[in-house]
Amino acid sequence: MSKKSNSTAAAFILLLALCTENYSQDSYKLPNGLSLSNQLEYSYNSEKKTEIFENWLNLDYTYGIFSTGIRFEVFQPNDPDPSISRGKEKYSDIAYKYIQAKIGNRREGLFLTVGNYYEMFGRGLILKSYEDRNIRIDNNLEGVRVEGMYGNFILKTLTGMAANSKNERKDILHAADLEYRGIKKLKLGFSLASNIPGEESASNTALASLRFDTKLWNFDIYGEYGVKHNKDISDQISNGEEAKVGDGIYGNVGFNYGSFSISGEYKKYDNFSFQSYDGTIQYNTPPSLTMDYSYILLNRHPYPLNANNENGFQFSAIYNFTEDTYLTGNYSYTRTLGKDSYYQRFLGINLESQAQQEDVYFQLNHGWNSNFESILAFGYREELVTNTKSITPVLEGKYYYDDINTFRVVLEHQQVKEFNTSEEYFSDILLLEYLRSPKISVSLVGEMQTKEPEAANKERNFWGFIQFGYKLAEHTDLSLLIGSRQAGNICIGGVCRYEPEFEGIELKVLTRLY
Amino acid sequence: MRKMITVILILIFYIALSAQQEAGQDIKKAQNFILEDLDGEFVELYEITGDGPILLSFWATWCKPCVEEMKELNKIYEEYKSEGFNLVAISIDSEKSVSKVKPFIKSKNYDFIVLLDTNSEVARTFYAQAVPYSVLLDENGSIVYSHMGYKKGDEKEILNLIKSLIGKS
């Protein structure tokens, strides 16, 4: 074992020892005001002989109106994916630190944050600064954030810098959001954000939006319209005559009556992506209007959000026949924009609008008796990013042997047609799971992919892994995966992370202490 | 500069921790938060604390175990709400799926408090590293239990703790 491997293993064993020995009592509590969480992920790829070690340690302290905290990150060796590694093979640093004061209350108060922070205005059309470790997104801002509440007004102002793909903070973001809540069941909001590039010769990019949110009888209605301004782009597409260089619209109507609910959404994002000058920091994430699935194959051909070139809608409905039997349905459709769009004018292209994604999904949950439940699901997806059409039926059964023991079986089948090559192939997944409350879970997952590149010449590939889950006391969750896994995508909110094919061992340890 | 900030932060931690230990306080109160409910009204944790135990249940519409757990937690809520128990379901649905939260809750006819944590601000504060995630508070707002994930039967442990907190066990 190399020196590097030794140190990693030592750190890993130390953390495990801390989890299992010193802090294994359920009654253990940290001193008042102090809390910590730790997330450790280690994987060893036996095929490529490579390892990845990632650890995030959060330490927070609250005393009265003040709170402070740090997040210490250790990636050694780091994930080789350039979008994750940020150019660093080995990395350890305090990546997040803050001091916060909360004075007063929501009706009349002031919240002040100095250091790193996250923020979202409205539904993210103008600004969404967030962390999602599953997809390795962290566009936290470093600077100052002030939120003031008085009467019916809430004002948020901030200035900060996010880290780019080289972990450098160059561009400066100034932003503000004002919300008025003086009219019963109606909220009005105005957001403004401006990115000042680190490059002096480049123009600022500014976005502004107006939004409303109202509740009328059984209806919930939300609407937001935003515009984008950038002098360099304006000069390019209209010789500076048009101040607006992009716009975005999002609308949502929800309705419920008894056991039935429906939600309809509309989007149009034209050259509306809000990025740093180097293009590696994404400041806004408008609603993507696509489904997130919990089944593996349904995430195999995702449709990622493109805030520059989308026009579409989504309908979702749910109807409860009984408490244990209900039907959910979802339909979403997205097209690219037409020739007159800001996006095409900016790129100097002249393409017809075309269907980009169509997604149909139905799921029927049924409880047969107190011991057995089933789920029948069907998904149809057509999308042009990977140029595929897929049909995916799923059958799931859950048997409750007694109050604490559960057996689960999931069968997934997917039929895929690739438009580029006219190739068709099938994937099948079988999952067998045993769950014992509150501590143990064991899952066996097998996948088979069948391709037929030539007539009567079938090629089959197999992957399989076993995953153990165990709970140490109430504060630590362990997960160990052994085996091989097919490449796939993890998608959250239209933002996807591609996970390459894997064979080896993967361990995750999640700990939190209050 | 970076090292200086780190040293200052560690010093703040150390001083605050020492001060706390000297004061001998052992009440572990959960951090206060304010979020919007499904009608757009603000709900503050400390304002609903004091009547009995509160279960904070972090969940999302796309999370199947969350939906399964919610059905069981609702049964506990219906049985013990008259004795001061409060269930607060905190949705971490982002801008993408937050529009589905109210339709889902209304179609199920649930009447416990549902709050929207669209940018996971409160989830981060309570270290909800994955959902479902439950945090049980006693009537003083102190954290007495936390649990990640859901398997059929997990609700029994929560039920026993709730019963002991309201003096029923």
Side-chain angles (χ1 to χ4, degrees):
Chain A
M1 195 180 270
S2 67
K3 194 177 174 182
K4 188 170 69 181
S5 300
N6 275 332
S7 59
T8 306
F12 169 64
I13 290 163
L14 178 69
L15 275 162
L16 264 186
L18 280 171
C19 295
T20 52
E21 291 298 319
N22 296 334
Y23 303 117
S24 60
Q25 295 173 60
D26 281 10
S27 57
Y28 186 86
K29 298 282 184 233
L30 289 177
N32 191 22
L34 190 67
S35 56
L36 73 85
S37 75
N38 194 76
Q39 180 170 340
L40 181 154
E41 294 193 10
Y42 172 81
S43 66
Y44 177 74
N45 191 321
S46 57
E47 198 180 27
K48 295 177 182 170
K49 311 282 182 215
T50 55
E51 61 178 359
I52 299 170
F53 180 95
E54 299 168 294
N55 194 85
W56 298 261
L57 171 70
N58 280 79
L59 200 57
D60 296 279
Y61 180 72
T62 302
Y63 187 79
I65 61 167
F66 298 102
S67 52
T68 183
I70 55 168
R71 184 172 70 228
F72 182 63
E73 297 180 346
V74 179
F75 306 137
Q76 41 194 40
N78 208 343
D79 192 314
D81 182 340
S83 66
I84 296 170
S85 67
R86 300 191 165 186
K88 292 182 193 303
E89 190 189 331
K90 286 176 277 185
Y91 172 78
S92 66
D93 200 1
I94 294 175
Y96 191 93
K97 51 201 170 290
Y98 70 94
I99 297 174
Q100 195 174 64
K102 291 187 174 180
I103 304 156
N105 55 45
R106 183 52 81 175
R107 286 161 206 93
E108 195 172 326
L110 187 75
F111 298 169
L112 174 71
T113 308
V114 177
N116 301 84
Y117 57 86
Y118 299 103
E119 182 56 83
M120 184 164 103
F121 294 162
R123 298 263 169 108
L125 260 79
I126 300 297
L127 176 66
K128 186 183 179 187
S129 165
Y130 70 113
E131 188 208 9
D132 196 316
R133 235 166 260 173
N134 292 314
I135 48 174
R136 300 294 190 271
I137 293 277
D138 185 3
N139 62 345
N140 72 73
L141 294 159
E142 190 175 82
V144 179
R145 176 187 177 277
V146 182
E147 183 176 357
M149 288 71 68
Y150 186 76
N152 295 314
F153 290 94
I154 300 169
L155 175 67
K156 296 174 185 174
T157 59
L158 61 90
T159 178
M161 297 194 284
N164 64 11
S165 61
K166 293 176 182 168
N167 208 29
E168 297 168 336
R169 296 179 191 262
K170 284 184 170 177
D171 291 14
I172 301 169
L173 182 82
H174 296 308
D177 183 80
L178 179 68
E179 190 168 276
Y180 176 68
R181 307 168 70 97
I183 305 165
K184 199 179 177 188
K185 297 204 179 283
L186 175 67
K187 288 185 289 180
L188 299 169
F190 172 70
S191 301
L192 183 67
S194 175
N195 181 60
I196 302 167
E199 185 71 39
E200 282 184 14
S201 58
S203 296
N204 296 359
T205 301
L207 270 75
S209 80
L210 280 168
R211 67 176 185 272
F212 72 93
D213 189 351
T214 186
K215 283 111 183 45
L216 300 167
W217 186 51
N218 287 5
F219 287 94
D220 288 76
I221 306 164
Y222 180 95
E224 187 166 356
Y225 174 68
V227 294
K228 181 176 171 181
H229 172 78
N230 178 291
K231 191 176 176 305
D232 292 343
I233 300 174
S234 173
D235 288 344
Q236 187 180 331
I237 64 176
S238 66
N239 292 320
E241 288 177 11
E242 294 177 48
K244 191 171 80 169
V245 299
D247 59 13
I249 302 170
Y250 170 76
N252 164 232
V253 179
F255 171 76
N256 63 274
Y257 190 81
S259 300
F260 174 73
S261 287
I262 188 164
S263 167
E265 294 169 277
Y266 172 77
K267 65 176 175 183
K268 179 175 172 282
Y269 309 134
D270 184 0
N271 203 31
F272 202 61
S273 181
F274 185 25
Q275 297 180 326
S276 58
Y277 178 68
D278 65 8
T280 64
I281 305 165
Q282 187 71 37
Y283 292 124
N284 67 344
T285 309
S288 59
L289 275 59
T290 52
M291 278 275 285
D292 282 331
Y293 296 103
S294 52
Y295 293 111
I296 300 167
L297 290 179
L298 285 163
N299 280 323
R300 224 15 98 67
H301 304 278
Y303 175 70
L305 169 74
N306 181 355
N308 279 329
N309 188 23
E310 281 189 354
N311 185 5
F313 59 89
Q314 176 172 243
F315 286 103
S316 306
I318 179 167
Y319 180 71
N320 292 273
F321 298 97
T322 64
E323 189 188 11
D324 297 319
T325 303
Y326 55 96
L327 180 69
T328 49
N330 193 86
Y331 177 76
S332 65
Y333 181 76
T334 302
R335 291 186 72 83
T336 56
L337 298 168
K339 293 174 179 176
D340 57 345
S341 64
Y342 292 105
Y343 180 67
Q344 291 209 23
R345 288 164 65 195
F346 170 57
L347 291 180
I349 54 177
N350 200 19
L351 302 171
E352 295 290 343
S353 166
Q354 60 175 333
Q356 189 75 1
Q357 170 261 348
E358 188 174 18
D359 198 359
V360 183
Y361 183 73
F362 286 103
Q363 182 178 306
L364 176 68
N365 291 53
H366 181 60
W368 297 86
N369 52 47
S370 60
N371 292 101
F372 186 68
E373 287 175 8
S374 66
I375 298 173
L376 182 65
F378 174 82
Y380 170 84
R381 172 172 281 184
E382 207 168 320
E383 58 88 27
L384 289 183
V385 177
T386 54
N387 227 359
T388 55
K389 181 170 82 174
S390 61
I391 295 169
T392 315
V394 179
L395 182 63
E396 176 176 342
K398 207 177 253 187
Y399 177 67
Y400 303 112
Y401 179 73
D402 56 24
D403 283 352
I404 57 167
N405 292 292
T406 304
F407 295 92
R408 184 170 163 247
V409 180
V410 181
L411 276 165
E412 299 181 39
H413 172 79
Q414 188 169 64
Q415 192 173 332
V416 181
K417 181 171 184 178
E418 290 196 2
F419 293 122
N420 290 337
T421 58
S422 298
E423 186 183 17
E424 287 188 38
Y425 60 91
F426 313 97
S427 294
D428 294 280
I429 285 182
L430 172 66
L431 180 147
L432 302 170
E433 193 170 51
Y434 166 68
L435 306 160
R436 183 179 169 83
S437 170
K439 289 186 180 292
I440 299 166
S441 68
V442 183
S443 309
L444 264 169
V445 180
E447 177 172 354
M448 178 176 75
Q449 191 178 71
T450 309
K451 289 188 174 182
E452 196 169 352
E454 295 164 17
N457 181 21
K458 281 186 180 168
E459 285 180 7
R460 284 207 166 102
N461 288 303
F462 296 90
W463 296 266
F465 63 84
I466 185 165
Q467 191 164 17
F468 301 95
Y470 187 74
K471 185 175 284 295
L472 279 169
E474 69 176 60
H475 48 66
T476 298
D477 294 83
L478 296 167
S479 161
L480 176 66
L481 180 150
I482 303 167
S484 61
R485 189 177 55 205
Q486 160 71 309
N489 290 281
I490 301 171
C491 295
I492 295 168
V495 182
C496 299
R497 178 167 77 98
Y498 176 74
E499 280 217 323
E501 192 174 339
F502 175 80
E503 185 174 348
I505 296 171
E506 190 180 83
L507 182 89
K508 293 181 182 177
V509 186
L510 301 174
T511 305
R512 64 231 157 252
L513 285 169
Y514 299 108
Chain B
M1 181 64 182
R2 185 178 285 176
K3 279 183 182 170
M4 192 186 284
I5 291 170
T6 308
V7 170
I8 290 167
L9 280 169
I10 291 169
L11 270 176
I12 290 169
F13 269 119
Y14 179 74
I15 292 164
L17 192 57
S18 307
Q20 202 63 66
Q21 282 167 344
E22 281 168 19
Q25 295 175 19
D26 57 356
I27 299 166
K28 188 74 190 172
K29 207 166 180 181
Q31 198 172 329
N32 193 22
F33 62 79
I34 304 165
L35 288 173
E36 275 187 29
D37 67 12
L38 296 180
D39 293 320
E41 302 297 327
F42 286 121
V43 174
E44 187 168 357
L45 176 64
Y46 284 4
E47 284 182 359
I48 57 170
T49 304
D51 295 333
I54 296 175
L55 184 71
L56 306 178
S57 175
F58 293 89
W59 71 288
T61 52
W62 43 260
C63 161
K64 276 197 300 174
C66 302
V67 172
E68 202 180 330
E69 183 191 44
M70 192 172 275
K71 193 174 92 176
E72 299 303 324
L73 296 180
N74 184 53
K75 288 176 190 166
I76 299 172
Y77 172 70
E78 289 298 331
E79 193 172 345
Y80 291 98
K81 66 180 177 184
S82 59
E83 297 180 49
F85 169 62
N86 214 340
L87 173 60
V88 179
I90 302 175
S91 160
I92 63 156
D93 281 271
S94 68
E95 75 292 337
K96 183 185 174 186
S97 52
V98 68
S99 62
K100 293 174 185 168
V101 176
K102 191 170 178 179
F104 173 80
I105 293 293
K106 291 289 177 187
S107 77
K108 296 282 181 190
N109 207 19
Y110 293 147
D111 72 342
F112 45 77
I113 298 171
V114 179
L115 305 178
L116 304 174
D117 187 19
T118 322
N119 206 25
S120 297
E121 192 185 331
V122 175
R124 265 192 298 276
T125 305
F126 282 86
Y127 301 141
Q129 296 152 312
V131 286
Y133 180 61
S134 303
V135 179
L136 184 63
L137 312 177
D138 65 13
E139 67 172 21
N140 300 313
S142 303
I143 297 170
V144 293
Y145 173 79
S146 68
H147 181 85
M148 190 177 287
Y150 176 73
K151 304 175 194 73
K152 177 85 171 172
D154 287 358
E155 70 279 5
K156 295 204 178 298
E157 202 172 355
I158 293 171
L159 176 62
N160 289 337
L161 283 163
I162 291 167
K163 278 181 178 173
S164 71
L165 288 171
I166 58 177
K168 280 263 174 180
S169 62

